[in-house]
């Protein structure tokens, strides 16, 4: 008897399971891909909408690019430029990206590098004759008035990275644009970072309307009072040792230079300055402001030993050199020294400047600090008042 073998049917349930698994894997892969694309799009949208702190950048060095970039001006000149940039940041409501270093003019730094290779690059020479900005100023204290970061900080690198991600809304390079337009024009005001190219003459030329009192946002005393903590501490120690004192700043050196005209006649930009800053004339000038017997702290760039000794006939004289035990372990350059001396002078009962900064100042001379470049014959005769 013949038997017919029944043919085996293929398991439909197993085949269906494999198809479902493949479909699920494909769906998950597509979902992940879509999610990734969506996440990238949303992240960029969020980045564009996020209310970032905004920044203002003027350059890697004060007065650069420009004619003073290589020559390096003195501390007062550089502070005028730095104050101008800080004023603009304050006006725009932006954080200022401050250069991390300041060049030191060799004529203002007896502790400068005496020997360097003539084959050194300009960058190497600049590094050798510069100091860290935070060795001069307290950036945290400064930020209480004008927020600042240094251009070698991690935050600055984060700002640069973010500005690239933002594309057109990240950064703009501007020059010859007024601070009012930078503030009012949304083309600039909405940017994360404004990279300004300031006047090639000097940064402070951007603040040439400072003669208008209403335009002055930061007083002359702002940067002097922002000295680094260790400099302020040294000044406080010396002030405590001085007790009740008066102070005088005598600027000679570079300011009393002369030249001969084509007839061989000696002339000066400050015709009375050499006379007015000599001890015998100083005694007459300051007598109405400083009574005899007072302690008189003297800060000066005069290098002649004992030059001011005649003043000791009436006053107890004090110099920063009397406090070398405080200063020598601390001071690395003359900018730091002058910043300490400046704080000491600011703390005096009576402070007499060489030149008037404003009408209320007491000064040794009536010659203007800034003049019309008129070279005149120096005057040495005694005034009737003396």
């Amino acid at each position: 008897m013949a038997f017919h073998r029944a043919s085996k049917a293929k398991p439909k349930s197993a085949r269906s399971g494999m198809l479902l698994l493949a479909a699920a894997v494909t769906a998950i892969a597509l979902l992940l891909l879509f999610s990734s694309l969506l996440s990238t799009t949303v992240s960029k949208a969020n980045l564009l909408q996020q209310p970032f702190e905004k920044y203002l950048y003027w350059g890697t060095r004060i007065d650069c690019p420009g004619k003073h970039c290589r020559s390096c001006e003195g501390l007062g000149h550089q502070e005028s430029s730095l104050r101008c940039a800080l004023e603009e940041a304050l006006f725009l409501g932006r954080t200022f990206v401050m250069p991390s270093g300041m060049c030191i003019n060799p004529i203002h730094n007896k502790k400068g590098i005496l020997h360097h290779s003539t084959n050194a690059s300009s960058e190497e020479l600049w590094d050798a004759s510069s100091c860290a900005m935070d060795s001069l100023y307290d950036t945290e204290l400064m930020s209480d008035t004008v927020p600042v970061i240094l251009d070698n900080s991690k935050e600055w690198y984060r700002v640069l990275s973010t500005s690239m991600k933002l594309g057109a809304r990240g950064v703009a390079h501007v020059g010859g644009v007024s601070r009012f337009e930078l503030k009012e024009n949304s083309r600039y005001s909405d940017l994360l970072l404004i990279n300004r190219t300031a006047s090639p003459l000097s940064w402070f030329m951007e603040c040439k309307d400072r003669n208008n009192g209403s335009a002055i946002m930061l007083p002359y005393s702002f940067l002097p009072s922002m000295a680094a903590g260790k400099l302020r501490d040294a000044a406080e120690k010396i002030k405590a040792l001085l007790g009740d004192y008066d102070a005088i700043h005598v600027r000679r050196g570079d300011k009393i230079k002369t030249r001969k005209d084509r007839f061989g006649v000696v002339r000066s930009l400050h015709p009375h300055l050499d006379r007015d800053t000599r001890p015998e004339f100083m005694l007459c000038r300051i007598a109405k402001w400083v009574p005899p017997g007072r302690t008189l702290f003297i800060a000066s760039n005069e290098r002649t030993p004992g030059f001011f000794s005649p003043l000791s006939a009436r006053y107890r004289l004090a110099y920063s050199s009397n406090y070398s035990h405080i200063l020598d372990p601390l001071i690395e350059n003359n900018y730091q020294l002058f910043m300490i001396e400046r704080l000491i002078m600011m703390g005096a009962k009576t402070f007499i400047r060489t030149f008037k900064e404003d009408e209320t100042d007491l000064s040794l001379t009536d010659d203007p600090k800034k003049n019309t470049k008129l070279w005149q014959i120096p005057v040495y005769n005694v005034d009737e008042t003396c």
Side-chain angles (χ1 to χ4, degrees):
M1 184 174 182
F3 292 94
H4 297 282
R5 181 179 293 179
S7 58
K8 291 184 178 181
K10 292 183 179 180
K12 293 183 179 179
S13 60
R15 184 173 58 186
S16 298
M18 292 295 290
L19 290 173
L20 287 172
L21 179 61
V25 170
T26 302
I28 291 172
L30 289 172
L31 182 61
L32 288 173
L33 178 61
F34 177 75
S35 175
S36 175
L37 292 172
L38 181 63
S39 175
T40 301
T41 304
V42 171
S43 295
K44 189 169 184 179
N46 288 339
L47 190 65
L48 289 169
Q49 295 174 2
Q50 190 171 345
F52 284 107
E53 187 174 358
K54 296 175 182 178
Y55 297 84
L56 176 67
Y57 177 75
W58 277 37
T60 57
R61 305 177 194 171
I62 295 175
D63 289 335
C64 289
K67 71 172 188 175
H68 295 300
C69 188
R70 291 179 62 86
S71 62
C72 182
E73 291 299 299
L75 178 64
H77 181 112
Q78 292 189 73
E79 280 193 334
S80 293
S81 286
L82 181 57
R83 187 170 60 247
C84 177
L86 290 167
E87 281 189 358
E88 180 161 289
L90 184 61
F91 179 80
L92 298 177
R94 290 176 172 268
T95 295
F96 180 62
V97 184
M98 191 158 67
S100 54
M102 177 182 283
C103 69
I104 303 177
N105 191 309
I107 68 171
H108 296 296
N109 188 29
K110 66 181 180 182
K111 291 192 175 185
I113 303 300
L114 297 179
H115 304 287
H116 59 262
S117 171
T118 55
N119 295 323
S121 68
S122 59
E123 291 293 328
E124 291 171 334
L125 291 175
W126 192 89
D127 289 339
S129 60
S130 65
C131 62
M133 194 68 80
D134 54 10
S135 72
L136 299 176
Y137 302 103
D138 185 335
T139 55
E140 290 187 12
L141 180 62
M142 194 180 295
S143 293
D144 290 340
T145 304
V146 187
V148 298
I149 61 172
L150 295 175
D151 68 3
N152 62 350
S153 64
K154 290 182 179 179
E155 184 175 355
W156 172 232
Y157 295 124
R158 179 187 64 78
V159 172
L160 289 176
S161 175
T162 305
S163 68
M164 289 188 287
K165 294 176 184 178
L166 288 171
R169 285 192 56 190
V171 59
H173 306 274
V174 301
V177 180
S178 74
R179 62 177 55 175
F180 299 99
E181 185 173 357
L182 292 177
K183 185 174 184 177
E184 301 299 332
N185 190 333
S186 61
R187 176 185 175 188
Y188 305 112
S189 60
D190 292 341
L191 293 168
L192 170 66
L193 172 63
I194 292 177
N195 178 13
R196 172 190 266 288
T197 299
S199 169
L201 298 176
S202 283
W203 280 8
F204 64 69
M205 293 299 294
E206 300 293 341
C207 295
K208 58 186 177 182
D209 61 346
R210 282 179 60 89
N211 291 328
N212 172 10
S214 63
I216 299 175
M217 303 180 70
L218 294 173
Y220 172 83
S221 60
F222 176 71
L223 284 174
S225 64
M226 295 294 115
K230 63 180 182 179
L231 305 183
R232 297 199 310 273
D233 290 344
E236 288 301 318
K237 291 178 182 178
I238 295 174
K239 285 161 65 177
L241 293 172
L242 284 168
D244 183 23
Y245 67 98
D246 303 304
I248 189 166
H249 180 218
V250 189
R251 187 167 180 184
R252 289 176 55 82
D254 58 319
K255 287 294 184 180
I256 59 173
K257 63 182 180 181
T258 60
R259 73 179 187 187
K260 292 182 178 180
D261 62 20
R262 59 195 182 97
F263 302 107
V265 178
V266 174
R267 294 182 178 273
S268 171
L269 288 172
H270 306 281
H272 301 89
L273 182 62
D274 189 15
R275 180 201 67 181
D276 292 344
T277 54
R278 291 178 181 269
E280 57 270 28
F281 291 93
M282 290 170 59
L283 281 170
C284 174
R285 178 84 169 189
I286 70 176
K288 54 192 172 188
W289 303 317
V290 184
R294 295 279 296 168
T295 296
L296 184 63
F297 179 81
I298 301 175
S300 178
N301 61 351
E302 174 58 53
R303 298 300 177 216
T304 304
F307 184 83
F308 297 107
S309 294
L311 295 174
S312 63
R314 188 180 296 171
Y315 305 108
R316 294 192 297 271
L317 305 185
Y319 308 90
S320 57
S321 57
N322 298 139
Y323 305 96
S324 57
H325 63 289
I326 296 174
L327 298 176
D328 283 354
L330 176 69
I331 297 301
E332 299 172 348
N333 55 68
N334 275 9
Y335 283 9
Q336 290 179 325
L337 175 60
F338 180 65
M339 291 182 77
I340 292 174
E341 290 180 330
R342 195 163 54 179
L343 289 170
I344 296 170
M345 291 186 286
M346 289 168 64
K349 181 178 180 179
T350 301
F351 174 35
I352 303 167
R353 304 175 184 273
T354 302
F355 302 97
K356 283 181 180 290
E357 296 290 345
D358 60 53
E359 288 304 315
T360 61
D361 288 339
L362 303 178
S363 65
L364 291 176
T365 184
D366 293 322
D367 285 352
K369 185 176 182 179
K370 297 179 180 178
N371 53 61
T372 58
K373 298 193 180 300
L374 177 62
W375 290 82
Q376 303 176 59
I377 299 175
V379 177
Y380 289 97
N381 60 299
V382 180
D383 287 342
E384 293 181 0
T385 56
C386 292

